[in-house]
C-alpha cells in the first residue's frame, strides 16, 4: 500500500506531562539499572548465588552505562554484607623463601604490625639493659672465674707430673710442648747438645712418654672451654628469656584466640633466643645507619600487612582499570643493593584479587585481554580458590630465577567481567573454562520502550547527573528534546536509547552553550544547538560530497525523469558521524542470455550481501515474468561513479526499479530517492540508517533547490524508525519535500513512473509493458536459432555468474 507521510508521522514528538513524569522519577529514586529489567534479574541471580562458577559477564554495547550501573547496584548490595578479614605475610624462620600467611579479623593486620614493631624495639631495649646490668656481669664473671680456676687446677696437676720427670710445660698460641730441666732451670739448646748421647736419648724418651699427658690436658681444656661457652649461652638464654617472655606474653594475651598468631609469636621468641648475637649486632648496625634489606637483620621480625580492611564498610568493590598480571595477583618487589637485587617477605605487594577478596572484582574485558598472562592467571585463581603470587616468567617455565614463593591466600570473590557481546560469544565458543567459570550472562539492552515509566527514568538520570556534576537544570522544552533525542539514538519512535553516555554528553554540551549565554537554565534551543554543532564538527566530508554533486563532478539528477536510472541512498559511517549519500544506479538492457549482471560483481567490488541482493532480483523476475518463456535478457546494473566495494542489500529494490524502467521504457522521476531491500516475492523490506539517508538526501535537495517534487521512498516497515530533523518536518508541512512508504515493488514503481503497476496481462500497466518486452525478446531469440544464441552469448561476453533461468 502506498502512503505519503505527514509531518506528524516523521517524528514522535514528546507531549508528555512533565510534572507527572517528575513525580514518577522522584518515586523511583534508587533505581540503578534504568530500563534493564532482564539485566537486573540476571545480576541479582549471579551475585546472589555463592556456588562455584557463578561469576558474571555483563554484556552490552558501549555507552549503555554497564560499568556505572553495576557499580551502583553493588554499592547498595554490599552495605548489608560483612567486611572481610585481614591478611598478613610473616617470615618463615625455617625457610625464608616461603613466607607464611596469617589471617586476622578485620582491622587486626596493622595492629599486629605495630605490635611486632613495638615488640622488637622493646626487646632490644630490654636485652641491652639486661646484658649491661651488674647482676648479669657478676654471674658472667662467676662463670669466667670458675672456668679459670678449673684451667689453673688442671695445669697444676700436669705441671706436677712434669716436674717429677724433670720437665716443664711450655705453651704458645699454637702449641704445647715440654722442656727438660737441669739444676732447676730449663736446659738450653747449647746445653742439650753438649750432653752425652745417652742422656739426650733419655730426655727425648721422657718427652715422648709425656706427650699423652699433654694431649689429655689439651682435651680436658677444650672440654672446659665448651662447658664455659655452654654456661655463658645458658646464662644469656635465661636472662634473655626472662626479658622476652614478659613482652611476648603481653602480646599473646591480645591474640589469644588466634592460634596462628600464637604459633608465630612462639617462633619469633625461639628465633631471637637462637640468634641473640646477630639480633643485638643488627640493632647496632641499623642504629648506625645500615638499614637496608641486605644487612637489616631485624626486618625478619616485621609483619607485612598485605590487606587491612579496617576502613572498609561492607564487602569491598574493586574496579581494576589496568588488569596486568602483577596488578591482578600481586608481585614480589626487589631492591638493588650493591649491584644485586634482593628481596624478602616485606616486599610482597597485593593485587586487586587480594583487595577484592571477600567481595567483588570488576574488570573490563577489553583491558583484560590486552595483557599477557592475565586471563589465565585470573581463571587459575578462580578455579583453585587461591591467590598464588609468582613471577610472570614462571608461567612459561623456561627462564626462572630464585625468588620468594609466598604461601597462597584462600580466595572467595565474585568476578564481574564487563564487555561487548563480541567478547562473550568468542570466549564462550573457544574457551571451555569460560563456560564453567562465568555461568551468568547479564545482557544490557541498548534500548527500552518509550513509555511513561521509562521516560520518568530518563528524567531521574538527568536529575542524578545534575547532582553529580555542575550542570544547569534543563527546562521543560529541553527535557522533551532530550527524550526525542533518545528515540533518535534508538532509531525507533516507540523506544528510547539506553546509551546514557551519549545523553550525558549532549546535556554537558548544551550546558556549555547555556553558560556562554549566561542563561540560568538549559533550554530546548541549547539542546538543539548541541546536536547541530556536534554534526557540524564532523560533516566536512558530507559537505564536500554535496559540493561535488552540485558542481556536476558527481552526477546525480534530482529533477526531471530518466529511463533505467534511479537514485539509491547509502550510509557512510565516519565513526563519530553517519550521513546519507545518494548513488546513481543505471541499467542497460539488450537481447541475450546473460541474465542480470552486476558490474560491481564482475569488477570484484561487490560484497556477498550485495551479491545476494542482485541474485534475489533474478528470482523475482523468474517467478513473475518467466513462467511461460525462456530467459532472453541481458541486463547490466551498476553504481555509477562508485570506486569502492559495494556492500549491503538496501539498494536491491532500487536496482529492480531501474531494471523495470529500462525494460518498460518508462522514465523515472529523478527527484525521488529510493531505499529498501526486496525479497523474491516483491515485498519491500526494512533497512537501517533510514534517518541518515533521508536527511542526507534532503541536505542535497536543499542545497540545489527544493521544488516540491523531491522526496524519499522507504519501506512501510521503516515508518516507525523515523525521527527526522524539525527542518524536514517543516519542509513536508510546506509541501516542499515528501516521504512515501511502500509495501511492494508494484507500489514503488507506480510512485516512480506515475503509471499503475497492474498485472502482466494488463496492457498499459508497468508489468504488462515489461512482460510484452520480455516476450518480444523471447520471440526474437527463437528467430536466431542456436547459432544465433551462441553469437549473442559471445557479444554479451560476460562471465555469467547468475545462473540462467529457463522454463521447462
Amino acid at each position: 500500500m502506498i502512503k505519503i507521510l505527514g509531518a506528524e508521522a516523521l517524528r514522535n514528538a514528546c507531549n508528555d506531562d512533565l510534572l507527572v513524569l517528575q513525580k514518577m522519577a522522584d518515586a523511583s529514586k534508587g533505581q540503578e539499572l534504568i530500563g534493564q529489567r532482564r539485566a537486573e534479574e540476571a545480576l541479582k541471580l549471579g551475585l546472589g548465588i555463592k556456588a562455584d562458577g557463578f561469576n558474571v559477564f555483563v554484556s552490552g554495547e558501549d555507552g549503555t552505562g554497564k560499568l556505572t550501573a553495576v557499580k551502583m547496584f553493588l554499592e547498595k548490595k554490599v552495605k548489608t554484607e560483612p567486611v572481610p578479614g585481614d591478611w598478613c605475610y610473616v617470615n618463615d624462620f625455617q625457610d625464608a623463601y616461603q613466607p607464611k600467611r596469617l589471617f586476622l579479623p578485620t582491622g587486626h593486620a596493622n595492629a599486629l604490625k605495630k605490635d611486632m614493631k613495638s615488640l622488637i624495639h622493646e626487646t632490644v631495649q630490654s636485652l641491652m639493659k639486661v646484658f649491661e646490668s651488674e647482676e648479669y656481669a657478676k654471674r658472667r664473671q662467676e662463670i669466667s672465674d670458675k672456668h679459670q680456676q678449673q684451667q689453673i687446677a688442671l695445669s697444676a696437676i700436669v705441671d706436677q707430673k712434669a716436674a717429677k720427670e724433670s720437665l716443664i710445660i711450655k705453651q704458645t698460641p699454637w702449641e704445647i710442648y715440654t722442656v727438660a730441666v737441669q739444676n732447676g732451670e730449663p736446659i738450653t739448646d747449647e746445653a742439650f747438645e753438649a750432653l752425652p748421647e745417652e742422656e739426650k736419648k733419655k730426655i727425648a724418651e721422657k718427652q715422648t712418654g709425656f706427650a699423652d699427658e699433654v694431649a689429655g690436658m689439651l682435651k680436658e681444656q677444650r672440654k672446659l672451654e665448651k662447658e664455659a661457652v655452654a654456661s655463658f649461652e645458658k646464662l644469656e638464654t635465661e636472662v634473655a628469656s626472662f626479658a622476652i617472655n614478659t613482652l611476648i606474653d603481653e602480646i599473646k594475651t591480645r591474640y589469644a584466640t588466634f592460634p596462628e598468631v600464637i604459633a608465630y609469636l612462639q617462633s619469633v621468641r625461639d628465633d631471637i633466643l637462637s640468634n641473640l648475637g646477630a639480633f643485638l649486632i643488627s640493632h647496632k648496625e641499623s642504629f648506625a645507619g645500615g638499614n637496608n634489606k641486605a644487612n637489616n637483620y631485624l626486618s625478619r621480625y616485621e609483619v607485612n600487612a598485605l590487606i587491612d580492611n579496617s576502613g572498609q564498610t561492607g564487602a569491598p568493590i574493586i574496579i581494576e582499570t589496568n588488569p596486568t598480571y602483577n596488578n591482578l595477583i600481586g608481585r614480589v618487589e626487589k631492591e638493588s643493593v650493591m649491584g644485586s637485587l634482593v628481596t624478602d617477605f616485606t616486599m610482597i605487594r597485593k593485587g586487586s584479587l587480594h583487595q577484592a577478596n571477600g567481595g567483588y572484582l570488576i574488570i573490563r574485558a577489553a583491558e583484560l585481554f590486552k595483557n599477557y598472562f592475565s586471563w589465565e592467571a585470573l581463571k587459575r585463581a578462580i578455579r583453585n580458590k587461591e591467590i598464588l603470587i609468582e613471577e610472570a616468567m614462571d608461567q612459561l617455565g623456561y627462564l626462572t630465577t630464585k625468588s620468594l614463593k609466598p604461601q597462597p591466600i584462600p580466595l572467595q570473590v565474585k568476578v564481574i567481567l564487563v564487555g561487548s557481546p563480541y567478547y562473550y560469544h568468542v570466549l564462550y565458543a573457544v574457551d571451555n573454562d569460560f563456560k564453567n567459570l562465568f555461568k551468568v550472562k547479564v545482557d544490557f539492552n541498548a534500548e527500552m520502550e518509550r513509555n511513561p515509566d521509562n521516560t520518568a527514568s530518563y528524567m531521574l538520570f538527568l536529575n542524578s547527573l545534575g547532582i553529580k556534576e555542575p550542570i544547569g537544570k534543563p527546562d521543560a522544552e529541553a527535557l522533551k528534546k532530550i527524550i526525542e533525542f533518545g528515540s533518535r539514538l534508538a532509531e525507533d519512535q516507540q523506544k528510547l536509547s539506553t546509551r546514557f553516555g551519549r545523553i550525558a554528553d549532549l546535556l554537558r554540551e548544551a550546558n556549555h552553550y547555556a553558560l556562554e549565554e549566561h542563561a540560568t537554565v538549559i533550554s530546548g534551543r541549547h539542546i538543539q544547538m548541541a546536536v547541530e554543532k556536534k554534526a557540524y564538527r564532523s560533516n566536512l566530508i558530507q559537505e564536500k560530497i554535496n559540493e561535488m554533486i552540485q558542481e556536476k563532478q558527481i552526477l546525480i539528477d534530482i529533477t526531471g525523469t530518466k529511463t533505467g536510472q534511479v537514485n539509491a541512498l547509502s550510509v557512510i559511517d565516519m565513526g563519530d558521524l553517519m550521513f546519507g549519500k545518494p548513488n546513481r544506479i543505471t541499467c542497460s538492457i539488450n537481447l541475450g542470455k546473460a541474465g542480470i549482471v552486476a558490474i560491481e560483481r564482475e569488477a570484484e567490488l561487490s560484497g556477498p550481501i550485495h551479491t545476494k541482493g542482485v541474485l534475489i532480483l533474478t528470482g523475482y523476475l523468474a517467478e513473475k515474468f518467466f513462467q511461460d518463456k525462456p530467459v532472453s535478457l541481458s541486463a547490466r546494473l551498476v553504481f555509477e561513479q562508485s570506486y569502492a566495494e559495494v556492500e549491503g542489500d538496501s539498494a536491491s529494490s532500487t536496482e529492480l526499479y531501474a531494471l523495470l524502467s529500462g525494460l518498460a521504457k518508462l522514465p523515472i522521476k529523478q527527484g525521488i530517492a529510493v531505499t529498501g531491500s526486496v525479497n523474491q516475492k516483491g515485498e519491500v523490506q526494512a533497512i537501517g540508517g533510514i534517518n541518515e539517508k533521508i536527511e542526507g538526501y534532503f541536505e542535497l535537495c536543499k542545497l540545489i533547490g527544493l521544488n516540491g517534487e523531491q522526496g524519499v521512498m522507504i519501506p512501510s516497515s521503516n515508518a516507525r524508525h523515523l525521527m527526522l530533523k524539525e527542518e524536514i518536518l517543516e519542509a513536508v508541512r510546506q509541501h516542499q519535500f515528501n516521504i512515501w512508504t511502500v509495501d511492494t515493488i508494484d507500489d514503488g514503481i507506480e510512485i516512480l513512473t506515475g503509471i499503475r503497476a497492474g498485472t502482466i496481462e494488463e496492457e498499459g500497466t508497468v508489468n504488462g509493458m515489461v512482460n510484452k518486452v520480455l516476450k518480444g525478446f523471447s520471440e526474437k531469440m527463437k528467430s536466431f536459432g542456436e547459432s544465433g544464441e551462441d553469437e549473442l552469448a559471445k557479444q554479451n561476453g560476460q562471465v555469467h555468474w547468475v545462473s540462467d533461468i529457463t522454463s521447462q
Side-chain angles (χ1 to χ4, degrees), residues 69-115:
V70 170
K71 182 183 176 185
M72 292 175 63
F73 187 91
L74 285 175
E75 286 174 347
K76 184 176 180 180
K77 176 179 172 57
V78 299
K79 290 179 181 178
T80 60
E81 296 184 356
V83 179
D86 300 341
W87 287 99
C88 303
Y89 273 115
V90 295
N91 188 26
D92 184 344
F93 300 107
Q94 304 302 317
D95 185 357
Y97 285 99
Q98 297 189 36
K100 290 183 177 180
R101 67 175 186 239
L102 286 182
F103 175 75
L104 294 165
T106 306
H108 284 66
N110 279 328
L112 179 61
K113 181 177 182 178
K114 292 177 182 177
D115 286 343

Side-chain angles (χ1 to χ4, degrees), residues 128-195:
M128 295 294 289
K129 183 177 180 181
V130 167
F131 288 134
E132 292 174 358
S133 67
E134 291 183 3
E135 179 65 24
Y136 173 73
K138 179 181 177 182
R139 292 182 61 182
R140 188 177 180 86
Q141 185 62 47
E142 289 175 355
I143 294 173
S144 178
D145 291 346
K146 180 180 178 182
H147 171 66
Q148 188 174 3
Q149 290 172 3
Q150 289 175 335
Q151 290 280 15
I152 292 172
L154 178 63
S155 298
I157 293 173
V158 175
D159 286 342
Q160 289 175 4
K161 290 181 179 181
K164 291 178 180 180
E165 300 292 334
S166 299
L167 297 172
I168 60 173
I169 305 297
K170 291 286 186 178
Q171 188 170 352
T172 68
W174 58 86
E175 65 177 340
I176 296 178
Y177 60 94
T178 57
V179 178
V181 176
Q182 189 177 45
N183 301 324
E185 295 291 334
I187 191 170
T188 63
D189 291 339
E190 292 80 2
F192 183 78
E193 291 298 330
L195 292 174

Side-chain angles (χ1 to χ4, degrees), residues 111 147 162 241 256 314 319 364 382 468 560 598 632 642 650 675 771 805-806:
H147 171 66
S241 295
I319 301 176
R364 290 186 184 274
I382 297 173
K468 295 177 182 177
S632 306
S642 173
S650 65
T675 187
N771 190 55
I805 307 168
T806 57

